[in-house]
Amino acid sequence: MASPLSRRTVLQSAMLATAASGFAATASAQASAAAPPPPASWTLQPFHLKDVRLGDGIFAGKRQLMLDHARGYDVNRLLQVFRANAGLSTRGAVAPGGWEGLDGEANGNLRGHYTGHFLTMLSQAHAGTGEQVYADRIRTMVEALAEVREALRRDPAVLAVDGRFGSAAENVRGSYQFVDLPSGVLDGAGSITLSAWVKPTHEGNWARIFDFGDNTTRYMYLAARTANGVPRFALTTGGPGAEQGLDGTSALPLNRWSHLAVTIADGTGTLYVNGSAVARNTAMTLTPAALGTPADNWLGRSHFSADPVFAGAFDEFNVWSRALTPDEIAALQNNRAADTPAGRGDRASYAFDETTGATFTDASGRGLHATLRRTWGGPSHPGFLAAYPETQFIQLESMTSSDYTKVWAPYYTAHKILRGLLDAYLATDDDQALDLASGMCDWMYSRLSRLPDATRQRMWGLFSSGEYGGIVEAIVDLHSITGKAEHLTLARLFDLDELIDACAANTDTLDGLHANQHIPIFTGLVRLYDATGEERCLTAARNFWGMVVPQRMYGIGGTSTGEFWRAPGVIAGTISATTAETCCAYNMLKLSRMLFFHEQEPAYLDYYERALYNQVLGSKQDSADAEKPLVTYFIGLTPGHVRDYTPKQGTTCCEGTGLESATKYQDSVYFRKADGSALYVNLYSPSTLDWAEKGVTVTQTTDYPREQGSTLTVRGRSGAFELRLRVPSWATAGFRVTVNEQTVGGTPRPGSYFAVSRTWQDGDTVRVTIPFRLRVERALDDPSLQTLFYGPVNLVARNSVTTHLEFGLYRNAALSGDLLPSLTPVTGKPLHYTLDGTEFVPFFEGTEEPTHAYFRRAEPRVVFGNTVSGVANPAKADGTTLLDEVWAGAPFSSKDVLVTRVRTTVDAWVAAGLLSRADGDRVVRTAEQASYVP
């Protein structure tokens, strides 16, 4: 029954209906397009990945490592869990480790997410390189997922494999399938023999070969393996504590056929394994008759819900209404039951020779034909597609507290699959991928639209279990192609109102929240604004960004500690070995980019450069690996931290986003104004832009950030447009632009865009000079804890000690305020320096060397131009030192201006009683005697 509509829902429905009509008009035109239409609200628009080619440099090198990984990894391994869930052959593939298999953390409750990331990576790789190999791999995956969805829509069908005698029925691990026998198999039997041929494929404790009973109190089972590793038969009417059992003596071998039989008669039970009696109980007071007519008669399934479904194959299963003799059981080892003195079971007999369908014929003559079923029934909607049952989604709807071991972010996983399929469609025009994506949204709408708003709010507020990633962004993107009104309505069903309303009111409630669970909410809100025009969405996203940058941002651009946020402004107080989850940087880049499309606030792209050139580049190891992408989960910022490029055995969320990041490095180098009047150069990166609408190409030639500038060459037909060149906020002096070697007039302002307007001619050359300076950034809550930057590059100290290193940097500072002269460059190694015997290197180098991203600033003595005054460097109560105050006045146009600054500062400190006159005079004399670099 549909839930009552709230007042807010009614208002939204009216608004969304209006917005949907505009999208529907373009749906048919976009059906075969390679990208969704740009929203009308974007004053800037990106270029497609295919339009921007990377040149040689640090990005191309990192990308090539990932492209090689994408080309070589066996995609059947990713598809294994999907095929298993649908009861299809897994083709011998072994699922990846970590979170993507059945044996990973929380029993693989996130499986399927990595497949979505991989599809996105392949899509970006194909778009960026044009290589057919990536399109072929996309096609393989999409066809397999279509086959999976079709199998899930149907009743399960037997998977026939070679058996002990003929054909056998395989139960793929992860399929949640079992054989359901009709009532009457036991039928009050007092004496009985049960016999089965099985081939286990996994060491799953307590998986049942058979389980007959009503519940967890009254049952009779044969488990292939107990916690002690041996088979066990048990019969009880009083639950586990009252079981009368038979335990084997050794484990059943994996991937080999074993014969098991149980006989009960005259108070004696015997367990046989491969024809030998391995256990006998002569005090059995219970027989199957004690169970009457059990409600459930299962092969492969347990009455205990926590027990796994049997993984392996079944050959003959027979039930006789007497205890077979040892000789009769021995005869079953090499012959079908029908060809032995015992004959087929007179109560039930299944040969499992069927190769199609879901019904197994009973050869006992009693007509007790069995049926193959799923423990969870089947999908609630034909669009369902996942690598696990729909039960996680169902359980989430009634959860009041989080438990990721039971329900681990099912809508997050759905988002990754949906995004991957949508990207596959955009990259290859594969209508099957679009149909799968659209079907997933139809299914989600069918579930979520029936829930009361209060239920959804509770779900989305649950840590981890209710996480849904960037699903809203993907749904709106899909809607822009399909024009289906239900899809846009679906996007609004993910609103987490408490957080969104707080951010819209610019009220910071982030303390204690899981960072990456909530960042993608705001990329979705920006897209909702695009589709609906609701200002609340854009305002909330804008305000949220300001709560993270710089209030919860580390120098490298990352955020979060142990995946969570703490109070604003607490940086030094949150540094740990689990800071800066890589997914957070990935999603903050997305959000910054989206906000910039609406509001050309340079701070968004300043952040983008910071996080991309430091955390994102540094999160990819500079090594090749066929099995793993070698991407960090966390980047610890503690002293001496060693980056872990193989976290949690692979396939984590951050490795998934790492696949994507490394194949779209070029996505924000250039933007264009929606009307085509301007080209924004956001990043200085070796690349070639094909601006087809203008008939021009723009090639950037640079080794930035090893080179302090870039050269842009315009080729093609002449035309007028404005070239807008980003002036980084750190570029405080010397930013210069020439066109055809002629200086362009104007005053570039740090943290802005410098405009060059002209009618461009074929061959015009623009040279951008961007002098770097060495500078520090102080932790907001502890100014003495600092991190070092040279231009856009974070420099980290290589040292294995686990306490903060102490460095002084004023000793030879330049008149410009540049601290670089205090360091010594390393010959032949660009961007490498030494200070006091310690090497500083770029953060983006993906090595496993121990590093110090933050150090303790120590300036104990007043020193100018490497001339020591002999005076202790005094400090105020807030930690500001005399030298801090002097150099805060940089840049200085001359030595005399610096000396004047020293003199006035000294006078003020002497007057305040912070420095003696004699020491102050010595400080001034030292400043006068020292020599300085410009």
Side-chain angles (χ1 to χ4, degrees):
M1 178 177 177
S3 62
L5 292 176
S6 67
R7 179 180 65 86
R8 179 168 173 269
T9 303
V10 171
L11 292 173
Q12 289 174 353
S13 298
M15 177 179 64
L16 297 184
T18 302
S21 63
F23 280 93
T26 63
S28 60
Q30 293 297 329
S32 61
S41 58
W42 288 4
T43 53
L44 284 188
Q45 295 176 358
F47 290 93
H48 301 313
L49 290 179
K50 65 181 178 63
D51 297 331
V52 183
R53 300 188 304 277
L54 284 179
D56 291 342
I58 56 175
F59 287 108
K62 297 257 191 183
R63 183 180 74 161
Q64 191 59 51
L65 291 169
M66 197 64 82
L67 290 175
D68 292 343
H69 176 75
R71 184 183 289 108
Y73 193 85
D74 182 5
V75 295
N76 284 302
R77 296 187 63 189
L78 301 169
L79 296 167
Q80 195 265 3
V81 289
F82 285 90
R83 286 171 167 150
N85 187 47
L88 299 172
S89 171
T90 57
R91 307 185 182 188
V94 178
W99 291 358
E100 197 56 30
L102 289 165
D103 296 314
E105 191 170 352
N107 299 312
N109 280 348
L110 212 65
R111 60 189 182 274
H113 80 115
Y114 197 74
T115 300
H117 285 298
F118 209 91
L119 267 173
T120 292
M121 174 184 65
L122 292 174
S123 302
Q124 293 173 172
H126 177 61
T129 68
E131 292 184 32
Q132 185 62 32
V133 62
Y134 302 116
D136 292 342
R137 310 199 96 210
I138 291 169
R139 184 64 186 162
T140 296
M141 296 181 73
V142 169
E143 287 180 347
L145 292 174
E147 183 184 12
V148 165
R149 185 180 71 172
E150 186 59 31
L152 289 169
R153 289 175 171 183
R154 303 188 309 261
D155 290 333
V158 62
L159 182 59
V161 295
D162 290 338
R164 176 64 177 81
F165 299 109
S167 182
E170 184 176 17
N171 203 29
V172 177
R173 184 164 181 253
S175 67
Y176 297 90
Q177 293 181 171
F178 69 102
V179 180
D180 190 16
L181 310 183
S183 62
V185 172
L186 298 185
D187 200 22
S191 297
I192 200 168
T193 298
L194 302 103
S195 161
W197 279 100
V198 294
K199 184 169 71 171
T201 56
H202 184 262
E203 295 175 338
N205 291 344
W206 299 109
R208 305 296 202 254
I209 295 172
F210 62 74
D211 194 336
F212 301 92
D214 300 322
N215 46 45
T216 56
T217 300
R218 298 171 56 83
Y219 54 78
M220 178 180 75
Y221 70 73
L222 176 59
R225 179 186 177 90
T226 66
N228 294 323
V230 298
R232 173 177 171 80
F233 171 82
L235 176 60
T236 183
T237 57
E243 286 183 357
Q244 297 182 7
L246 298 162
D247 291 297
T249 55
S250 60
L252 300 181
L254 296 182
N255 301 305
R256 285 171 48 192
W257 286 102
S258 295
H259 181 261
L260 293 95
V262 176
T263 64
I264 300 176
D266 302 324
T268 297
T270 306
L271 172 64
Y272 294 85
V273 176
N274 294 323
S276 299
V278 296
R280 180 169 284 112
N281 185 342
T282 59
M284 292 193 69
T285 59
L286 296 174
T287 70
L291 301 177
T293 302
D296 306 314
N297 302 273
W298 295 333
L299 303 185
R301 180 181 181 183
S302 169
H303 279 92
F304 291 82
S305 60
D307 292 340
V309 173
F310 177 79
F314 285 96
D315 203 322
E316 289 197 331
F317 180 75
N318 286 275
V319 184
W320 290 269
S321 56
R322 63 184 179 86
L324 298 189
T325 66
D327 288 344
E328 289 176 312
I329 289 175
L332 294 172
Q333 306 310 299
N334 298 305
N335 301 279
R336 288 182 177 270
D339 299 327
T340 68
R344 292 189 174 97
D346 60 333
R347 287 192 171 276
S349 180
Y350 307 96
F352 297 108
D353 285 331
E354 291 81 1
T355 58
T356 60
T359 302
F360 300 105
T361 301
D362 173 26
S364 71
R366 301 178 67 205
L368 299 179
H369 307 310
T371 305
L372 187 64
R373 303 190 190 280
R374 297 187 186 97
T375 60
W376 57 283
S380 63
H381 185 281
F384 175 75
L385 177 62
Y388 46 66
E390 196 174 357
T391 48
Q392 277 211 51
F393 299 90
I394 297 169
Q395 284 181 262
L396 177 61
E397 294 170 5
S398 60
M399 291 180 70
T400 56
S401 61
S402 180
D403 184 349
Y404 88 121
T405 65
K406 294 179 180 177
V407 176
W408 191 4
Y411 284 98
Y412 173 96
T413 305
H415 162 242
K416 303 311 173 191
I417 300 166
L418 172 64
R419 182 80 256 176
L421 289 168
L422 182 56
D423 289 338
Y425 166 70
L426 296 176
T428 65
D429 284 333
D430 189 333
D431 289 338
Q432 194 169 43
L434 181 62
D435 179 63
L436 288 168
S438 184
M440 287 187 70
C441 287
D442 294 342
W443 156 68
M444 285 187 279
Y445 178 76
S446 74
R447 287 212 70 85
L448 295 176
S449 62
R450 295 196 301 263
L451 298 178
D453 184 63
T455 299
R456 293 194 305 272
Q457 295 297 325
R458 172 174 46 76
M459 287 163 54
W460 308 145
L462 290 175
F463 159 63
S464 189
S465 297
E467 184 173 357
Y468 55 78
I471 200 166
V472 174
E473 174 194 343
I475 293 169
V476 177
D477 284 354
L478 177 68
H479 170 262
S480 70
I481 299 168
T482 67
K484 291 183 70 171
E486 294 89 346
H487 291 169
L488 194 54
T489 303
L490 170 64
R492 298 315 306 257
L493 298 179
F494 288 91
D495 278 4
L496 180 57
D497 287 338
E498 185 176 12
L499 174 66
I500 297 168
D501 290 342
C503 288
N506 208 19
T507 301
D508 189 331
T509 61
L510 303 188
D511 188 7
L513 291 183
H514 182 260
N516 197 54
Q517 179 169 345
H518 295 90
I519 299 171
I521 290 176
F522 296 92
T523 63
L525 284 180
V526 177
R527 293 295 286 118
L528 272 175
Y529 169 79
D530 297 333
T532 69
E534 186 182 347
E535 287 290 341
R536 165 182 176 264
C537 297
L538 186 61
T539 299
R542 183 194 305 117
N543 291 342
F544 165 80
W545 190 91
M547 296 170 189
V548 178
V549 181
Q551 293 299 311
R552 294 176 170 90
M553 182 193 75
Y554 302 105
I556 58 173
T559 186
S560 79
T561 182
E563 301 192 9
F564 288 81
W565 282 309
R566 300 301 178 227
V570 181
I571 301 299
T574 60
I575 287 176
S576 71
T578 56
T579 36
E581 183 185 358
T582 303
C583 277
C584 295
Y586 165 91
N587 281 309
M588 283 299 297
L589 287 180
K590 264 195 168 186
L591 179 59
S592 301
R593 184 175 188 262
M594 286 186 175
L595 288 170
F596 194 74
F597 292 151
H598 295 87
E599 304 163 337
Q600 283 73 69
E601 170 53 59
Y604 294 138
L605 266 296
D606 273 339
Y607 172 81
Y608 200 98
E609 180 185 63
R610 174 194 295 268
L612 180 65
Y613 277 84
N614 293 291
Q615 171 152 5
V616 171
L617 272 182
S619 69
K620 173 72 186 86
Q621 189 172 16
D622 298 329
S623 301
D625 194 290
E627 293 298 309
K628 293 181 174 62
L630 301 182
V631 175
T632 60
Y633 190 128
F634 298 111
I635 293 185
L637 300 177
T638 50
H641 181 80
V642 176
R643 292 177 212 169
D644 180 3
Y645 290 101
T646 55
K648 296 177 179 281
Q649 294 77 53
T651 67
T652 63
C653 53
C654 293
E655 285 161 296
T657 53
L659 297 172
E660 299 183 31
S661 290
T663 47
K664 64 169 185 176
Y665 288 138
Q666 73 270 41
D667 76 342
S668 297
V669 177
Y670 309 98
F671 296 151
R672 62 180 179 271
K673 286 200 73 170
D675 61 6
S677 64
L679 176 67
Y680 280 67
V681 180
N682 305 308
L683 301 172
Y684 299 102
S685 177
S687 55
T688 298
L689 166 67
D690 180 8
W691 193 359
E693 294 88 345
K694 290 288 185 182
V696 302
T697 62
V698 178
T699 299
Q700 262 198 87
T701 306
T702 180
D703 195 26
Y704 187 95
R706 298 185 181 102
E707 177 184 349
Q708 298 184 25
S710 183
T711 300
L712 295 91
T713 304
V714 180
R715 303 309 301 254
R717 65 172 182 253
S718 63
F721 60 87
E722 188 175 68
L723 186 67
R724 298 184 64 81
L725 303 160
R726 190 174 67 87
V727 185
S729 59
W730 49 261
T732 54
F735 188 96
R736 181 169 174 264
V737 178
T738 64
V739 176
N740 301 330
E741 300 184 353
Q742 298 297 310
T743 299
V744 178
T747 304
R749 291 183 299 102
S752 70
Y753 277 77
F754 184 76
V756 181
S757 296
R758 61 184 278 120
T759 298
W760 299 92
Q761 304 294 326
D762 182 47
D764 280 349
T765 301
V766 179
R767 176 62 190 171
V768 184
T769 302
I770 319 172
F772 291 3
R773 288 179 52 198
L774 188 72
R775 69 189 191 281
V776 297
E777 289 189 1
R778 297 170 169 83
L780 298 177
D781 53 333
D782 183 354
S784 72
L785 195 67
Q786 302 178 2
T787 188
L788 206 58
F789 277 85
Y790 188 48
V793 179
N794 184 226
L795 296 177
V796 295
R798 281 187 179 160
N799 197 302
S800 60
V801 303
T802 55
T803 55
H804 283 299
L805 300 173
E806 292 189 354
F807 294 105
L809 296 168
Y810 288 137
R811 66 189 70 174
N812 198 28
L815 291 174
S816 64
D818 189 353
L819 302 172
L820 187 63
S822 293
L823 276 64
T824 303
V826 178
T827 304
K829 297 174 73 175
L831 300 177
H832 284 236
Y833 302 90
T834 61
L835 177 62
D836 298 340
T838 296
E839 186 176 20
F840 280 80
V841 304
F843 188 95
F844 62 68
E845 292 187 352
T847 73
E848 294 178 300
E849 299 285 342
T851 60
H852 291 243
Y854 283 86
F855 62 92
R856 190 70 66 185
R857 187 69 174 273
E859 305 281 358
R861 294 286 180 182
V862 176
V863 181
F864 290 104
N866 278 329
T867 301
V868 181
S869 69
V871 176
N873 184 24
K876 293 181 178 178
D878 64 359
T880 303
T881 70
L882 176 71
L883 286 176
D884 290 337
E885 201 159 289
V886 167
W887 287 106
F892 303 110
S893 57
S894 66
K895 174 179 175 178
D896 289 342
V897 175
L898 169 60
V899 171
T900 298
R901 172 75 176 193
V902 173
R903 184 176 290 112
T904 57
T905 304
V906 163
D907 289 345
W909 282 58
V910 170
L914 299 172
L915 183 69
S916 71
R917 172 49 64 187
D919 282 347
D921 290 343
R922 291 170 66 188
V923 168
V924 173
R925 286 196 301 272
T926 303
E928 292 171 336
Q929 295 166 3
S931 58
Y932 306 89
V933 295

